[in-house]
């Protein structure tokens, strides 16, 4: 079955860096776009970034120029490199897929996701 497993979360200081990993299995992951979502405490899940099967990318305005998404199709993994981390970046980060090849204009809509991982927690504190 389709599985998405996130890892790499932890504690980071404001201004620091962290790299999240999502490992995909149970489907031809390299054929589909993969997304990262962020859920802050008490808030809805929000789209952070997307990478398509052809390596096109999309970013939320709040993380543009700070976060970088990448993928390794041989490893069936997608990564989120977080830099210049801010307090508001704290929360749970989820990997998801809408089982579409490209990010398109609606990649950040959580209702479009067909599969989710269980998330990895990022805490930001000084």
């Amino acid at each position: 079955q389709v599985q998405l497993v996130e890892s790499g979360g932890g504690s980071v200081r404001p201004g620091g860096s962290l790299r999240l990993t999502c490992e995909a299995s149970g489907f031809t992951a390299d054929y589909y776009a993969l997304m990262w979502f962020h859920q802050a405490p008490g808030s809805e899940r929000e789209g952070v970034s997307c990478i398509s099967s052809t390596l096109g990318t999309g970013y939320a305005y709040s993380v543009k120029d700070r976060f970088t998404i990448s993928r390794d199709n041989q490893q069936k993994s997608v990564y989120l490199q977080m830099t210049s981390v801010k307090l508001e970046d704290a929360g749970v980060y989820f990997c998801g897929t809408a089982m579409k090849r490209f990010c398109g204009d609606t990649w950040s809509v959580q209702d479009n996701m067909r599969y989710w991982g269980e998330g990895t927690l990022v805490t930001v504190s000084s």
Side-chain angles (χ1 to χ4, degrees), residues 44-63:
E44 292 286 318
R45 220 170 274 195
E46 296 182 338
V48 173
S49 188
C50 174
I51 186 164
S52 75
S53 60
T54 55
L55 304 184
T57 58
Y59 293 93
Y61 180 80
S62 60
V63 306

Side-chain angles (χ1 to χ4, degrees), residues 110-121:
Q110 63 164 325
D111 289 346
N112 290 343
M113 297 303 109
R114 290 185 58 186
Y115 297 100
W116 291 103
E118 295 193 351
T120 186
L121 178 65

